[in-house]
Short mmCIF file of all heavy atoms in Angstrom, two decimals:
data_model
loop_
_atom_site.label_atom_id
_atom_site.label_comp_id
_atom_site.label_asym_id
_atom_site.label_seq_id
_atom_site.Cartn_x
_atom_site.Cartn_y
_atom_site.Cartn_z
N TRP A 258 -21.44 21.92 -12.14
CA TRP A 258 -21.55 20.78 -13.06
C TRP A 258 -20.64 19.65 -12.63
O TRP A 258 -21.06 18.48 -12.57
CB TRP A 258 -21.15 21.25 -14.49
CG TRP A 258 -21.07 20.18 -15.44
CD1 TRP A 258 -19.89 19.74 -16.08
CD2 TRP A 258 -22.11 19.35 -15.94
NE1 TRP A 258 -20.23 18.72 -16.98
CE2 TRP A 258 -21.59 18.45 -16.84
CE3 TRP A 258 -23.49 19.31 -15.63
CZ2 TRP A 258 -22.37 17.51 -17.55
CZ3 TRP A 258 -24.26 18.38 -16.34
CH2 TRP A 258 -23.68 17.52 -17.26
N ARG A 259 -19.40 19.95 -12.17
CA ARG A 259 -18.54 18.89 -11.65
C ARG A 259 -19.10 18.24 -10.34
O ARG A 259 -19.02 17.02 -10.23
CB ARG A 259 -17.15 19.46 -11.35
CG ARG A 259 -16.37 19.88 -12.56
CD ARG A 259 -14.88 20.03 -12.20
NE ARG A 259 -14.67 21.00 -11.15
CZ ARG A 259 -14.55 22.36 -11.28
NH1 ARG A 259 -14.66 22.86 -12.50
NH2 ARG A 259 -14.39 23.16 -10.28
N GLY A 260 -19.64 19.09 -9.53
CA GLY A 260 -20.23 18.50 -8.29
C GLY A 260 -21.41 17.57 -8.58
O GLY A 260 -21.49 16.45 -8.02
N LEU A 261 -22.25 17.92 -9.47
CA LEU A 261 -23.36 17.06 -9.89
C LEU A 261 -22.88 15.81 -10.57
O LEU A 261 -23.45 14.70 -10.31
CB LEU A 261 -24.35 17.84 -10.82
CG LEU A 261 -25.11 19.01 -10.25
CD1 LEU A 261 -25.91 19.77 -11.27
CD2 LEU A 261 -26.03 18.57 -9.06
N LYS A 262 -21.87 15.87 -11.32
CA LYS A 262 -21.28 14.67 -11.96
C LYS A 262 -20.66 13.71 -10.90
O LYS A 262 -20.78 12.53 -11.06
CB LYS A 262 -20.20 15.06 -12.99
CG LYS A 262 -20.74 15.59 -14.26
CD LYS A 262 -19.76 15.48 -15.43
CE LYS A 262 -18.42 16.14 -15.07
NZ LYS A 262 -17.48 16.08 -16.22
N ASN A 263 -20.12 14.30 -9.83
CA ASN A 263 -19.59 13.49 -8.76
C ASN A 263 -20.63 13.09 -7.70
O ASN A 263 -20.31 12.48 -6.73
CB ASN A 263 -18.45 14.22 -8.08
CG ASN A 263 -17.23 14.47 -8.97
OD1 ASN A 263 -17.03 13.62 -9.88
ND2 ASN A 263 -16.49 15.44 -8.79
N GLY A 264 -21.90 13.55 -7.95
CA GLY A 264 -22.95 13.13 -7.00
C GLY A 264 -22.95 13.94 -5.72
O GLY A 264 -23.39 13.42 -4.71
N VAL A 265 -22.45 15.18 -5.75
CA VAL A 265 -22.40 15.99 -4.57
C VAL A 265 -23.04 17.34 -4.79
O VAL A 265 -22.82 17.97 -5.86
CB VAL A 265 -20.88 16.24 -4.10
CG1 VAL A 265 -20.85 17.14 -2.95
CG2 VAL A 265 -20.25 14.92 -3.74
N LEU A 266 -23.90 17.80 -3.87
CA LEU A 266 -24.48 19.16 -3.98
C LEU A 266 -23.56 20.11 -3.26
O LEU A 266 -23.61 20.31 -1.98
CB LEU A 266 -25.89 19.18 -3.35
CG LEU A 266 -26.94 18.24 -4.06
CD1 LEU A 266 -28.26 18.29 -3.36
CD2 LEU A 266 -27.08 18.71 -5.54
N ASN A 267 -22.61 20.72 -3.93
CA ASN A 267 -21.64 21.59 -3.33
C ASN A 267 -22.06 23.04 -3.26
O ASN A 267 -23.17 23.36 -3.66
CB ASN A 267 -20.27 21.44 -3.98
CG ASN A 267 -20.36 21.75 -5.51
OD1 ASN A 267 -21.31 22.41 -5.94
ND2 ASN A 267 -19.32 21.34 -6.18
N MET A 268 -21.21 23.91 -2.74
CA MET A 268 -21.53 25.34 -2.66
C MET A 268 -21.84 25.94 -3.97
O MET A 268 -22.66 26.82 -4.14
CB MET A 268 -20.35 26.07 -1.99
CG MET A 268 -20.50 27.60 -1.88
SD MET A 268 -18.98 28.43 -1.60
CE MET A 268 -18.20 28.20 -3.23
N ALA A 269 -21.07 25.47 -5.01
CA ALA A 269 -21.30 26.04 -6.37
C ALA A 269 -22.70 25.85 -6.86
O ALA A 269 -23.24 26.63 -7.63
CB ALA A 269 -20.22 25.47 -7.35
N VAL A 270 -23.30 24.67 -6.52
CA VAL A 270 -24.66 24.40 -6.89
C VAL A 270 -25.60 25.41 -6.33
O VAL A 270 -26.52 25.97 -7.01
CB VAL A 270 -25.05 22.97 -6.51
CG1 VAL A 270 -26.53 22.70 -6.82
CG2 VAL A 270 -24.21 21.94 -7.19
N LEU A 271 -25.43 25.76 -5.05
CA LEU A 271 -26.28 26.77 -4.34
C LEU A 271 -26.09 28.11 -5.03
O LEU A 271 -27.15 28.83 -5.33
CB LEU A 271 -25.85 26.82 -2.90
CG LEU A 271 -26.56 27.92 -2.05
CD1 LEU A 271 -28.03 27.66 -2.01
CD2 LEU A 271 -26.03 27.92 -0.64
N VAL A 272 -24.84 28.55 -5.25
CA VAL A 272 -24.65 29.85 -5.92
C VAL A 272 -25.25 29.86 -7.27
O VAL A 272 -25.91 30.81 -7.69
CB VAL A 272 -23.08 30.12 -5.91
CG1 VAL A 272 -22.81 31.37 -6.74
CG2 VAL A 272 -22.59 30.23 -4.53
N THR A 273 -25.06 28.79 -8.03
CA THR A 273 -25.60 28.74 -9.40
C THR A 273 -27.12 28.91 -9.41
O THR A 273 -27.69 29.60 -10.19
CB THR A 273 -25.19 27.46 -10.11
OG1 THR A 273 -23.74 27.39 -10.11
CG2 THR A 273 -25.71 27.32 -11.53
N LEU A 274 -27.74 28.13 -8.55
CA LEU A 274 -29.19 28.20 -8.49
C LEU A 274 -29.65 29.57 -8.09
O LEU A 274 -30.70 30.12 -8.66
CB LEU A 274 -29.74 27.14 -7.49
CG LEU A 274 -29.69 25.66 -7.94
CD1 LEU A 274 -30.12 24.79 -6.78
CD2 LEU A 274 -30.56 25.41 -9.13
N SER A 275 -29.02 30.15 -7.10
CA SER A 275 -29.44 31.48 -6.64
C SER A 275 -29.29 32.58 -7.70
O SER A 275 -30.17 33.39 -7.87
CB SER A 275 -28.58 31.89 -5.38
OG SER A 275 -28.71 30.93 -4.35
N VAL A 276 -28.15 32.59 -8.37
CA VAL A 276 -27.81 33.62 -9.38
C VAL A 276 -28.67 33.41 -10.63
O VAL A 276 -29.34 34.33 -11.09
CB VAL A 276 -26.36 33.59 -9.70
CG1 VAL A 276 -26.06 34.58 -10.87
CG2 VAL A 276 -25.56 34.12 -8.50
N LEU A 277 -28.68 32.21 -11.15
CA LEU A 277 -29.41 31.94 -12.45
C LEU A 277 -30.89 31.99 -12.31
O LEU A 277 -31.60 32.35 -13.28
CB LEU A 277 -28.92 30.61 -13.01
CG LEU A 277 -27.50 30.55 -13.47
CD1 LEU A 277 -27.22 29.23 -14.15
CD2 LEU A 277 -27.15 31.72 -14.45
N ALA A 278 -31.41 31.67 -11.10
CA ALA A 278 -32.89 31.74 -10.93
C ALA A 278 -33.37 33.18 -11.14
O ALA A 278 -34.30 33.44 -11.90
CB ALA A 278 -33.26 31.23 -9.55
#
Side-chain angles (χ1 to χ4, degrees):
W258 174 246
R259 289 196 305 272
L261 293 174
K262 285 201 302 182
N263 294 331
V265 175
L266 297 177
N267 56 18
M268 177 199 70
V270 175
L271 175 63
V272 174
T273 299
L274 288 175
S275 303
V276 172
L277 291 186

